[in-house]
Amino acid sequence: MTRSKQLVLVLTLLAFSLRAYRLDVQSLWSDEGLSLYRARLSLSENLSNVIVVPPGVSTQDTNPPLYFILLSGLCAAAGESEYALRFLSVMAGVLLVPLLYVSARRLFSERAGVLSAALAALSPFLVWYSQEARMYTLLAALSTASVYLLLRALSLRGASRLQDEQERLRASRRAAWLVWAAVTAAGLYTHFVAFFVLLFECAVVLVVVAWRRRRDALLAAALVILAAVPATTYALSRAAVNPSPASGFRTLDSIVEELLGTFGIGWSNNFFQPLWAVLPALGLLIVGAFGGRLQRPRHVFGGLFTLAWLLIVLMAFYVATFIQPLYTGPRHLLLLALPFYLLVGNGLALAWRRSRLVGVASLGWMVVSMAVWLGVQFFDSTYTKQDIRSVAMLIAKRAAAGDVVIVHDAVTSFVFDYYYDGAAPWAIIPTYPSHEVSAALAEFQARAEAADRLWFITEPPPLSGFDRQALDVWARGHLLRLDHQRFSALWLGSEYQLYTAHYPVLDALPGGAKPMDVTWDTGLRLVGVADVTGQLPPPTAAGSSHLALFWRQDRRAQGNYVTTFRLVDPSGDERLRQRGTIFDNWSARQWPVGKIVRQDVTFNLPPDLPPGVYDVWLAVAERASEEVILTVDGEGDVAIGSLALPGEPVNGKLTNP
């Protein structure tokens, strides 16, 4: 094995390690829920492209069936864990490394092949989508393989001297065309963006036919086009469907700017990377496309061919967006990352040949930039795609059989059902794809009145065009909100609201609560505390602990209150400060005098909080003026107990003060 092939083998193993690392850390998100649904279907059901949205609405999936058929087979063998669901994308992402090597080797040089493979292995963008149970990396692998096979079948090459390989190819050209046709058709039945690659390939075939009079090339292209007819018909029918509200037209300069930053460094939640950070990759791309002119004529073909691959696919895609908005992010043009890395890899190779120092510096910049961004993707909590897992598992631990859970977005229900294993029943409101607010509101109200508590997953909101605020606005005006929590997310948020139609007014302190007697000057009295501790399961970064406070008004309140809770460690250092209203939509002025009112409090514990015992301190202030109210003993805040964190920093238990 040559040294170059040894390096590519190492890079392939590195690519696998990066893509398998923390593969199941992120929750499945809504789009992956659709993949999960289709992975459970039979072959005939997948070929129909029908998705039945609960409670039984049949819809047509825009995406072709091949990826889902392969995923279904994988899940049948390996199960439905997050790891298994995403493993097909991992392997397709790993395959890109040797594919870029052989492509760059044919188009440019051995060194360009190794450098292109290195960029693909380290690319944060390719790692990101190699860890998602969707078809994008499979599409990229098939489209790259298709272009490479076309080069072989047409005996086209750039700087590499592959005479032996060419002679072998001449003896098996018919087989080469058949393999190309099969791979190209597989790409078309994986994602419709592959049509734009086929358009580029047909242009190449027509040029070669006119130049060399190659009838076999024309026949192979005709066979692929014939195989694409069913997929084309289906794609055109889906293009007639109204676009999702999430779709919108993007200008070409905006798309190009986002793609350059995404491919060159990594995908940013601010859409665009800074220009200074992108310029080195752009410069290398230009050198890779046109730098061959400074070397020898045989170096020119590879740069122009790869640049045409990049630009024809991009412009064809952009023209199509005038008919139907297609671009909602760089994932839809992920396959363009491959010609991008080929050109940048060739630019690095040419810079290396010109000056070892310039080559090392350029490569170092690309490697360091990508390594830094990999760290951002792996460890920055703002790069959470959508944390339905934490919402579902938290509700499963805290919801009782008398509660009800409402999922607002029907598409999200596939992921929620995957994670949720609680006692409370759940339902979807509104029924997809209804826009009728009155019918949805009537069902929502009936369920709220029949249940002890209503857990309402308000985010992600319905993407069907239903008024996303209607139900929650009504709930805040007619129900008591007991709790709410939002989980960080990159694009679609995850949030729940906890409501009840039955106000928590008690005649006496319930059993199990710890009696207390702390009175404030306004007549507000804390008469008890109960531990209702819960735990968020790994891999949620921070845990939570839940307490119930029991209040009583000795006289009619003149305002409303805000509370501040502090966790203090044994050395006296404050480790957590949490501020909030007692009830944000039920003023203390409306509380019944002399009755006990229960308030549930959730402490969001920081992930670095070490095990130990922490004192819990409480202060009360006027909501309007934020002025601290003193107790009748003249204290600004009082100790109400201790929070014990045994062993792990995601669990808490209240102990006596």
Side-chain angles (χ1 to χ4, degrees), residues 290-357:
F290 302 106
R293 294 178 178 272
L294 304 177
Q295 305 293 325
R296 300 176 183 177
R298 64 186 179 88
H299 288 267
V300 175
F301 168 76
L304 295 181
F305 177 90
T306 311
L307 185 63
W309 175 6
L310 181 69
L311 294 181
I312 289 175
V313 174
L314 173 63
M315 294 309 300
F317 179 92
Y318 181 65
V319 169
T321 63
F322 285 91
I323 303 171
Q324 174 79 293
L326 300 174
Y327 186 83
T328 59
R331 59 180 176 164
H332 291 129
L333 287 173
L334 181 145
L335 49 73
L336 289 184
L338 290 315
F340 177 90
Y341 292 135
L342 286 172
L343 290 173
V344 174
N346 186 46
L348 284 168
L350 292 175
W352 194 292
R353 179 179 298 176
R354 198 75 164 175
S355 168
R356 179 68 60 87
L357 179 61

Side-chain angles (χ1 to χ4, degrees), residues 81-357:
S81 67
E82 293 136 319
Y83 203 99
L85 285 165
R86 292 166 173 161
F87 197 74
L88 178 58
S89 296
V90 169
M91 296 313 296
V94 171
L95 184 60
L96 287 171
V97 174
L99 279 173
L100 277 190
Y101 166 70
V102 295
S103 299
R105 181 170 172 262
R106 171 169 283 272
L107 288 167
F108 303 116
S109 65
E110 193 84 25
R111 178 176 293 158
V114 174
L115 292 171
S116 299
L119 294 176
L122 291 171
S123 167
F125 184 57
L126 294 183
V127 170
W128 180 267
Y129 280 103
S130 295
Q131 295 190 323
E132 184 170 295
R134 298 296 282 171
M135 71 294 296
Y136 301 110
T137 54
L138 179 62
L139 169 67
L142 289 171
S143 65
T144 305
S146 174
V147 174
Y148 170 70
L149 289 167
L150 181 66
L151 287 169
R152 287 177 57 92
L154 290 170
S155 302
L156 299 176
R157 64 188 188 278
S160 297
R161 297 183 180 275
L162 304 173
Q163 297 296 335
D164 292 341
E165 183 178 306
Q166 184 180 1
E167 294 301 325
R168 289 196 302 271
L169 183 61
R170 285 173 180 166
S172 58
R173 182 167 289 151
R174 183 175 299 175
W177 279 119
L178 289 175
V179 175
W180 171 77
V183 170
T184 303
L188 295 172
Y189 285 91
T190 298
H191 197 283
F192 293 129
V193 175
F195 280 104
F196 304 118
V197 179
L198 178 60
L199 180 64
F200 160 70
E201 293 180 317
C202 287
V204 172
V205 168
L206 289 175
V207 169
V208 171
V209 167
W211 179 28
R212 296 183 178 178
R213 299 182 181 180
R214 291 281 301 280
R215 294 181 180 180
D216 55 348
L218 193 61
L219 178 61
L223 289 174
V224 172
I225 293 172
L226 183 64
V229 169
T232 305
T233 304
Y234 183 75
L236 292 174
S237 69
R238 297 305 299 159
V241 178
N242 291 329
S244 163
S247 302
F249 180 79
R250 289 277 296 273
T251 60
L252 182 60
D253 62 325
S254 173
I255 293 174
V256 170
E257 185 177 359
E258 185 174 12
L259 291 178
L260 282 174
T262 301
F263 297 165
I265 300 174
W267 195 74
S268 171
N269 56 13
N270 294 321
F271 289 101
F272 306 119
Q273 296 283 7
L275 181 61
W276 61 265
V278 177
L279 281 177
L282 178 59
L284 289 168
L285 182 144
I286 294 172
V287 171
F290 302 106
R293 294 178 178 272
L294 304 177
Q295 305 293 325
R296 300 176 183 177
R298 64 186 179 88
H299 288 267
V300 175
F301 168 76
L304 295 181
F305 177 90
T306 311
L307 185 63
W309 175 6
L310 181 69
L311 294 181
I312 289 175
V313 174
L314 173 63
M315 294 309 300
F317 179 92
Y318 181 65
V319 169
T321 63
F322 285 91
I323 303 171
Q324 174 79 293
L326 300 174
Y327 186 83
T328 59
R331 59 180 176 164
H332 291 129
L333 287 173
L334 181 145
L335 49 73
L336 289 184
L338 290 315
F340 177 90
Y341 292 135
L342 286 172
L343 290 173
V344 174
N346 186 46
L348 284 168
L350 292 175
W352 194 292
R353 179 179 298 176
R354 198 75 164 175
S355 168
R356 179 68 60 87
L357 179 61

